């Protein structure tokens, strides 16, 4: 006997969507979060989301329209700024449209939708252990925050949606097909503040700005995301590579001294550090009776670190697949496997090719970036293609054109062309993602050399 059909650990964006999707199909779901009910959704984040992600949720699970009050400001442009702070590449177009929003309110709305669909929400409760029976996942052990009393619960499927902590994933048995740990070099660390700026006017709150500077934020960037004319979300994120800098120090030295608005009166609304995985999604997101959703499954864009939309996408696909499996009374790895194919087709493939591009971004210097912006070696259309589709159009003709304009830094263009080719190779391998667990090992063996090579381009 099980207590629930599905237990979901973590009521973030991914977990709440998965819960809603499963309960809507009539299954019994328990959604657990260690935060108080009124705090679910409160998280260190850039609070920016592409509008297309909401549309996807409407199509996949019938998400209703967002109620007023969640969106702080609409976004219609993202400007990428070179380290010299002179070159600027504006990205515009339908795929850029989105929102600067209130993270807590978004989280509260998503949990209430899950409740309305019939999900039982257990807040202020920590999921402590993964329960195994005969080596297979069978439930969890929970503890009410501060109560000291543990309780065991059984379910046909357990979903780890605990975010970057991957709290249950890390407790899987050693012989699980799922990787239990994420390498340090595949993590991003960040610091971010939200301020009201009574004396500073963000004239264009519809434009988000991303600033590159490899000396300060290696492999990452500083973001300045206005949330209105007198409110801003500002932060720094960098890759956790050997000897990396501490993001809070970078914020307090570099950001405080380099942006005019930081020198005006600032009323702090929120402040904190955070982490996110910035690699390709876990090669399998399922094992017997077990699924990963959101950051715990590394469903984050490796280049810009956005993971709200993709965690919701993961949650929706996981929810639909788990429901189908429950309806067939089979929650084995084989029955849950279609979640992998659905996620890889809809987002995982793009993520993997961006993971290649990420290593290129780590290796370029400030001079390289300034030069590439100045000479048009990297164009807004490339970056749009890269961030939206994980594709960079660098055919032979285009390569020659850029070689001509980039005389003086030929090796940079050759490296870029090589990266574009590797991204295509990865996409090809993902188009042959195995349709059952049996194919996983040989498939992974094809990926490994490409990623090894990407680190050295
Ligand atoms: C600094 C920073 C800025 C970012 N900016 C953006 C952005 O602008 N746009 C964007 O799209 N993405 C952004 N991201 C990424 C995005 O926040 C995440 O990818 C997304 O929130 C992942 O959702 P999730 O549901 O997997 O996890 P989360 O939203 O982190 O939710 C996990 C939940 O699990 C709960 N939990 C954890 N452990 C336990 C436990 N043991 N027991 C019970 N509950 C538990 C937590 O309380 C939490 O509510 C940013 C990330 C960081 C760190």
């Amino acid at each position: 006997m099980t207590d629930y059909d599905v237990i979901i650990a973590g009521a973030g964006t991914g977990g709440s969507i998965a819960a809603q999707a499963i309960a809507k199909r009539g299954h019994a779901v328990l959604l657990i979060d260690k935060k108080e009910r009124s705090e679910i959704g409160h998280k260190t984040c850039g609070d920016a989301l592409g509008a297309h992600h909401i549309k996807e949720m409407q199509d996949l699970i019938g998400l209703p329209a967002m109620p007023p009050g969640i969106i702080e400001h609409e976004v219609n442009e993202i400007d990428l700024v070179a380290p010299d702070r002179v070159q600027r590449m504006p990205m515009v177009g339908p795929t850029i449209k989105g929102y600067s929003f209130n993270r807590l309110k978004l989280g509260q709305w998503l949990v209430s939708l899950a409740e309305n669909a019939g999900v039982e929400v257990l807040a202020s409760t920590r999921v402590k252990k993964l329960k195994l029976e005969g080596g297979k996942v069978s439930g969890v052990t929970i503890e009410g925050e501060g109560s000291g009393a543990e309780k065991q619960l059984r379910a046909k499927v357990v979903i780890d949606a605990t975010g970057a902590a991957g709290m249950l994933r890390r407790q899987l048995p050693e012989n699980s097909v799922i990787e239990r740990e994420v390498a340090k070099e595949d993590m991003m660390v960040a610091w971010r503040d939200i301020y009201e700026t009574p004396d500073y006017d963000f004239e264009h709150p519809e434009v988000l700005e991303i600033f590159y500077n490899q000396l300060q934020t290696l492999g990452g960037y500083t973001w300045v995301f206005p949330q209105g004319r007198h409110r801003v979300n500002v932060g720094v994120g960098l890759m956790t590579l050997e000897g990396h800098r501490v993001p809070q120090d970078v914020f307090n030295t570099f950001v405080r001294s380099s942006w005019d608005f930081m020198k005006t009166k600032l009323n702090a609304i929120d402040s904190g550090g955070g982490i996110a995985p910035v690699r390709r999604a876990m090669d399998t997101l399922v094992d017997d009776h077990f699924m990963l959703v959101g950051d715990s499954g590394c469903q984050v864009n490796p280049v810009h670190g956005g993971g709200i939309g993709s965690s919701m996408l993961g949650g929706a696909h996981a929810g639909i697949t788990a429901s189908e499996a429950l309806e067939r009374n089979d929650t084995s790895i084989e029955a849950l496997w279609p979640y992998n194919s659905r996620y890889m087709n809809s987002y995982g493939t793009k993520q993997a090719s961006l993971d290649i591009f990420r290593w290129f971004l780590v290796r370029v210097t400030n001079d390289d970036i300034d030069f590439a912006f100045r000479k048009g070696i990297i164009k807004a259309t490339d970056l749009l293609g890269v961030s939206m589709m994980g594709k960079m159009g660098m055919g032979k003709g285009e390569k020659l054109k850029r070689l001509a304009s980039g005389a003086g830094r030929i090796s940079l263009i050759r490296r870029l062309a090589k990266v574009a080719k590797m991204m295509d190779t990865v996409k090809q391998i993902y188009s042959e993602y195995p349709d059952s667990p049996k194919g996983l090992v040989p498939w992974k063996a094809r990926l490994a050399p490409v990623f090894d090579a990407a680190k050295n381009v």
Side-chain angles (χ1 to χ4, degrees):
M1 260 306 271
T2 54
D3 300 290
Y4 295 91
D5 291 322
V6 182
I7 292 177
I8 303 176
T13 42
S16 295
I17 287 282
Q20 185 190 152
I22 300 167
K24 269 186 173 167
R25 289 178 62 147
H27 305 292
V29 185
L30 178 68
L31 178 63
I32 308 170
D33 206 288
K34 63 183 180 185
K35 289 180 184 146
E36 283 176 30
R37 172 67 181 79
S38 59
E39 276 298 293
I40 292 176
H42 183 198
K43 165 167 187 176
T44 301
C45 184
D47 304 342
L49 180 67
H52 61 98
H53 289 299
I54 297 294
K55 170 82 179 55
E56 277 159 7
M57 285 307 104
Q58 289 167 346
D59 294 346
L60 272 173
I61 61 158
L63 191 79
M66 241 198 257
I70 295 180
I71 298 170
E72 299 279 359
H73 211 281
E74 303 223 344
V75 172
N76 60 27
E77 181 175 321
I78 302 178
D79 285 6
L80 307 180
V81 186
D84 64 9
R85 298 277 291 272
V86 176
Q87 323 291 325
R88 180 177 284 261
M89 215 185 282
M91 302 208 291
V92 284
T95 50
I96 291 301
K97 287 200 181 305
Y99 316 111
S100 264
F101 62 91
N102 183 304
R103 189 71 167 78
L104 176 63
K105 287 185 185 165
L106 177 80
Q108 290 285 308
W109 177 56
L110 292 178
V111 182
S112 66
L113 287 176
E115 282 168 337
N116 294 343
V119 172
E120 185 180 332
V121 175
L122 203 52
S124 304
T125 303
R126 189 174 286 270
V127 177
K128 290 190 78 176
K129 281 183 227 138
L130 190 63
K131 187 171 153 52
L132 302 172
E133 284 172 38
K136 309 256 183 209
V137 173
S138 65
V140 293
T141 304
I142 60 169
E143 183 189 309
E145 280 294 31
S147 75
E150 288 192 356
K151 186 174 170 187
Q152 298 205 357
L153 292 170
R154 298 180 78 235
K156 293 173 191 156
V157 179
V158 172
I159 297 181
D160 182 354
T162 57
M167 156 71 186
L168 297 179
R169 184 197 71 225
R170 294 167 68 194
Q171 297 180 38
L172 283 165
E174 246 172 68
N175 63 357
S176 170
V177 286
I178 294 178
E179 283 161 78
R180 295 186 302 173
E181 298 295 336
V182 175
K184 226 173 149 202
E185 64 175 24
D186 290 332
M187 298 297 290
M188 174 201 81
V189 279
W191 186 267
R192 103 57 193 98
D193 283 3
I194 301 177
Y195 299 117
E196 273 169 3
T197 60
D199 299 338
Y200 189 91
D201 185 2
F202 287 92
E203 271 180 59
H204 294 287
E206 71 285 2
V207 181
L208 306 185
E209 294 181 303
I210 286 178
F211 297 83
Y212 295 104
N213 189 318
Q214 298 289 72
L215 301 177
Q216 304 291 342
T217 51
L218 181 60
Y221 54 84
T222 302
W223 69 88
V224 177
F225 292 175
Q227 299 189 328
R229 291 187 75 129
H230 293 284
R231 183 178 159 123
V232 66
N233 178 317
V234 50
V236 291
L238 46 101
M239 295 241 319
T240 323
L241 297 167
E242 183 91 31
H244 71 86
R245 299 190 59 188
V246 176
Q248 192 176 2
D249 291 347
V250 176
F251 192 92
N252 285 333
T253 52
F254 174 61
V255 179
R256 286 198 192 283
S257 64
S258 313
W259 273 267
D260 288 343
F261 74 88
M262 291 296 291
K263 296 172 200 156
T264 65
K265 182 170 190 287
L266 300 171
N267 298 333
I269 294 174
D270 200 21
S271 184
I275 55 168
V278 283
R279 49 160 278 174
R280 67 183 191 267
M282 287 292 177
D283 293 330
T284 169
L285 299 157
V286 301
D287 201 338
D288 285 311
H289 323 297
F290 186 78
M291 304 172 103
L292 298 172
V293 162
D295 284 11
S296 77
C298 299
Q299 296 174 336
V300 178
N301 182 308
V303 167
H304 61 54
I308 296 171
S310 40
S311 69
M312 295 198 299
L313 191 63
H317 285 312
I320 292 166
T321 312
S323 302
E324 289 167 357
L326 287 165
E327 284 148 26
R328 286 197 307 270
N329 206 17
D330 175 5
T331 52
S332 64
I333 183 170
E334 286 82 7
L336 298 177
W337 195 261
Y339 170 40
N340 279 329
S341 321
R342 286 168 174 162
Y343 184 77
M344 298 312 176
N345 282 337
S346 59
Y347 202 83
T349 303
K350 169 176 127 178
Q351 235 187 286
S353 88
L354 287 178
D355 196 359
I356 300 279
F357 194 70
R358 161 175 80 107
W359 286 106
F360 173 73
L361 283 182
V362 166
R363 297 197 168 269
V364 290
T365 63
N366 277 352
D367 281 352
D368 286 337
I369 304 176
D370 287 339
F371 184 83
F373 270 55
R374 201 163 52 241
K375 297 280 186 180
I377 288 162
I378 295 182
K379 298 179 179 167
T381 45
D382 291 336
L383 295 169
L384 264 180
V386 166
S387 68
M388 295 312 298
M389 273 102 66
K391 179 161 179 59
M392 189 161 48
M394 243 295 212
K396 238 185 190 161
E398 189 57 29
K399 186 175 156 192
L400 283 175
K401 245 197 270 167
R402 294 188 199 192
L403 279 169
S405 63
R409 247 172 246 242
I410 303 297
S411 73
L412 179 67
I413 302 162
R414 290 222 167 96
R415 276 164 61 204
L416 194 60
K418 218 166 159 185
V419 168
K421 209 167 159 198
M422 282 179 172
M423 289 167 76
D424 284 344
T425 306
V426 160
K427 289 184 103 171
Q428 178 59 38
I429 297 174
Y430 269 73
S431 72
E432 292 157 37
Y433 187 82
D435 52 17
S436 82
K438 275 196 238 91
L440 185 67
V441 172
W443 181 80
K444 281 175 77 155
R446 290 172 66 197
L447 272 186
V450 191
F451 278 96
D452 285 346
K455 291 181 187 174
N456 296 309
V457 170

